[in-house]
Amino acid sequence: MSDSTTPATPRTLLLRGGEVHSPADPFATAMVVEGDSIAWIGSEGAADSFAENVDEVVFLDGALVTPAFTDAHVHTTATGLALTGLDLSDARTLADALARVRAYAEERPHDRVLLGTGWDASAWPEQRHPGRAELDAATGGRPLYLTRIDVHSALATTAMLDVVPGVTTRAGYSADAPLTGDAHHAVREAAHATLTPDQRAEAQRAAREHAASLGIGALHECAGPDISGEEDFTSLLALAAAEAGPRVFGYWAELVTSAKDADRVRELGALGAAGDLFADGSLGSHTAHLCSPYADAPGTTGNGQLDAATVATHVAACTEAGLQAGFHAIGDAAIRSVTDGVRRAAESVGTARVRAARHRVEHAEMLTKAAVADFADLALTASVQPGFDAAWGGADGMYARRLGAERAATLNPYAALLRAGVPLALGSDSPVTPLGPWETVRAAAFHRTHAHRISVRGAFTAHTRGGWRALGRDDAGVLVPGAPADYAVWRTGPLIVQAPDTRVANWSTDPRSGTPGLPDLTPGGEVPVCLRTVVGGRTVYARPDE
């Protein structure tokens, strides 16, 4: 036993007899972990020399070892509430949704406010959302706050509206339509204020435990005053620091105009004044800001929430303070405001400094060729969610209904971004689309618009190393000696190299190319099963009976 003045010797672990996905050795079958870092990666024969000098040997039985995934855009508490509460994302009809609301209200007689998420009327045959009278009846007249699947609009019962003074005079209120804008934010704040610290912690633990079970080792929490509030944000960071589980890196969506503002963001524990700092809303809620009107709502172009001058001030102030800036921008008009603003900031504080800061844009869906070029020139990270295309893309999807088929086919151009050298970080925006890293990689590789597809390897890299690079870390998210020991172990089928162009696939499967394989993610097939997730050398998930 060591005394208090002598540091303990780091525990060493040898994993062998599997497939280790590493650029250090594309044919590696073994890995040594020392403490919280990767110490060695290599062949089975070389592993023999380590076997007698490690604390533990783990026989992989052919399992695949990869870096743990990083989900670059998550709302942790909301994800946990969806996991433990009312989630309508798989409701098939309006009647089904109302029945679930009624059952949930009966199951939770003591909740001050009923909370739910996930409704999507565009997927229902009725093509309409529940009316307030229908929700009042389903809940027995109790307060209910029910967000749309994109979380940019919400339904509320009469009793819920009654606890928010003046809500009917706020922008975004309508007697017949879902709440948006200021009205939505006020109702959300009132609803979330009813959560007890224990309820919040329960939801946060549920979300982190679920993420760990999927091989996710890090989450980028996108919080802010209009999203979840300071107490939720700081309590999540504290919980993640105190308890085993995926790492949580926080972003706080509040405008910065001075060094004092930047200091306040840092004091909250945030890495940047970024994430869901809204330049606009969402396509599903008709609040994404477009240059031309919606195809199914010709009278509107959505809601622009930040102009180029405001963006420029924020980016310049963050750059001067050494803080990441970032924005939520989906529509082409919103993205233009962001890129114009970032360019103005670069002219003010210097392009090199802006590029070095690795500012980021969340979602970045409706990109023109000029916008892609701006992203590349300004070194903006595109933090994107391929699950959006899987859920709403295609000729018959919600995007096509909102925008028309021609404009919808331009959305989420991942191949163009990679060709231009734009850094990509993949995420889910959970609970908007579910946590599921292999499903996310599949959605990028088999994009509904063929021209936007990228290779499985490219998507995998963006969902592992890309998330770390978005944080400003180039030494993580990859299995090489010296990297953090954040990894996952998977049961999967044969490993292959998949790319959207069969010529690339045929070349890169040649063993001489030295390209490590990945699971076959052809749509319809099973995704790998997570057997173990390790963060900083510490097991945070182990599949039962494995």
Side-chain angles (χ1 to χ4, degrees):
M1 179 181 296
S2 61
D3 62 35
S4 59
T5 62
T6 305
T9 302
R11 188 171 180 274
T12 57
L13 177 72
L14 169 63
L15 296 90
R16 63 184 306 180
E19 300 279 353
V20 179
H21 186 89
S22 171
D25 182 348
F27 308 109
T29 63
M31 180 172 79
V32 173
V33 175
E34 184 173 359
D36 60 2
S37 300
I38 307 297
W40 172 86
I41 288 172
S43 67
E44 195 63 26
D48 290 337
S49 62
F50 293 96
E52 294 183 1
N53 299 309
V54 297
D55 298 309
E56 182 181 355
V57 178
V58 174
F59 294 96
L60 295 168
D61 295 326
L64 171 66
V65 183
T66 71
F69 285 97
T70 295
D71 193 308
H73 192 119
V74 170
H75 304 284
T76 307
T77 303
T79 296
L81 291 172
L83 289 168
T84 60
L86 176 59
D87 180 5
L88 300 181
S89 60
D90 60 350
R92 298 304 178 206
T93 66
L94 172 61
D96 180 20
L98 287 169
R100 295 181 188 214
V101 170
R102 184 175 295 105
Y104 186 74
E106 292 171 355
E107 292 168 4
R108 311 280 293 207
H110 304 298
D111 287 5
R112 291 171 56 196
V113 170
L114 299 166
L115 299 172
T117 190
W119 63 269
D120 183 4
S122 71
W124 298 340
E126 298 90 347
Q127 289 290 296
R128 72 170 181 88
H129 58 79
R132 188 170 301 148
E134 290 172 311
L135 290 174
D136 287 347
T139 60
R142 295 169 61 193
L144 166 71
Y145 169 69
L146 188 61
T147 57
R148 190 184 182 279
I149 192 167
D150 58 16
V151 201
H152 283 273
S153 59
L155 302 170
T157 55
T158 303
M160 183 73 244
L161 296 176
D162 286 345
V163 302
V164 185
V167 67
T168 60
T169 65
R170 289 177 177 263
Y173 174 82
S174 170
D176 302 317
L179 301 167
T180 62
D182 289 345
H184 178 205
H185 298 160
V187 174
R188 173 165 49 196
E189 183 178 359
H192 285 175
T194 66
L195 287 173
T196 67
D198 285 346
Q199 285 176 306
R200 186 179 292 113
E202 176 191 16
Q204 292 167 352
R205 289 190 182 100
R208 293 179 74 231
E209 288 169 3
H210 183 55
S213 75
L214 299 171
I216 298 171
L219 303 168
H220 295 192
E221 168 67 12
C222 293
D226 291 332
I227 303 165
S228 52
E230 289 185 18
E231 184 178 358
D232 182 86
F233 184 62
T234 56
S235 68
L236 170 63
L237 296 181
L239 182 143
E243 299 182 7
R247 305 174 193 266
V248 177
F249 300 99
Y251 287 94
W252 184 251
E254 192 165 3
L255 286 171
V256 169
T257 60
S258 66
K260 182 178 179 181
D261 291 342
D263 288 343
R264 201 187 82 79
V265 170
R266 283 200 179 92
E267 287 167 2
L268 289 174
L271 293 178
D276 277 332
L277 183 52
F278 296 120
D280 68 346
S282 72
L283 292 166
S285 292
H286 290 102
T287 52
H289 192 202
L290 312 184
C291 293
S292 300
Y294 284 85
D296 62 349
T300 182
T301 56
N303 302 332
Q305 299 186 41
L306 298 174
D307 59 21
T310 303
V311 169
T313 299
H314 178 73
V315 172
C318 287
T319 303
E320 293 278 15
L323 193 68
Q324 268 187 306
F327 306 91
H328 162 120
I330 286 178
D332 49 358
I335 290 170
R336 180 184 296 174
S337 293
V338 168
T339 55
D340 285 353
V342 176
R343 191 165 297 284
R344 291 189 199 180
E347 292 168 355
S348 171
V349 302
T351 301
R353 293 180 68 191
V354 166
R355 289 174 61 88
R358 304 192 192 192
H359 302 310
R360 51 192 284 174
V361 181
E362 309 301 315
H363 316 310
E365 290 199 81
M366 208 169 174
L367 292 164
T368 63
K369 290 181 179 179
V372 171
D374 286 337
F375 270 55
D377 186 44
L378 298 166
L380 294 172
T381 294
S383 171
V384 300
Q385 296 75 41
F388 288 7
D389 176 72
W392 303 309
D396 300 320
M398 181 269 287
Y399 289 157
R401 292 194 293 276
R402 292 288 185 271
L403 302 173
E406 184 176 349
R407 275 194 297 175
T410 68
L411 293 184
N412 302 302
Y414 304 140
L417 288 165
L418 285 186
R419 283 195 300 269
V422 176
L424 278 187
L426 302 192
S428 63
D429 198 8
S430 178
V432 176
T433 59
L435 296 172
W438 289 113
E439 291 86 349
T440 297
V441 171
R442 171 186 280 166
F446 294 92
H447 196 295
R448 290 179 182 272
T449 302
H450 194 282
H452 301 332
R453 293 178 175 180
I454 59 178
S455 68
V456 168
R457 182 186 181 195
F460 174 82
T461 300
H463 211 354
T464 50
R465 197 168 194 179
W468 283 96
R469 285 174 167 165
L471 300 168
R473 291 275 303 272
D474 293 329
D475 62 337
V478 61
L479 300 182
V480 294
D486 290 16
Y487 61 91
V489 181
W490 309 90
R491 183 170 66 235
T492 187
L495 304 183
I496 62 173
V497 176
Q498 279 183 301
D501 188 322
T502 55
R503 293 170 299 172
V504 175
N506 288 339
W507 171 80
S508 59
T509 50
D510 186 328
R512 292 171 296 179
S513 73
T515 301
L518 284 165
D520 183 351
L521 296 181
T522 302
E526 296 293 325
V527 296
V529 174
C530 184
L531 305 179
R532 185 172 298 268
T533 305
V534 176
V535 175
R538 182 178 182 180
T539 296
V540 298
Y541 169 77
R543 184 176 174 82
D545 304 321
E546 292 287 348

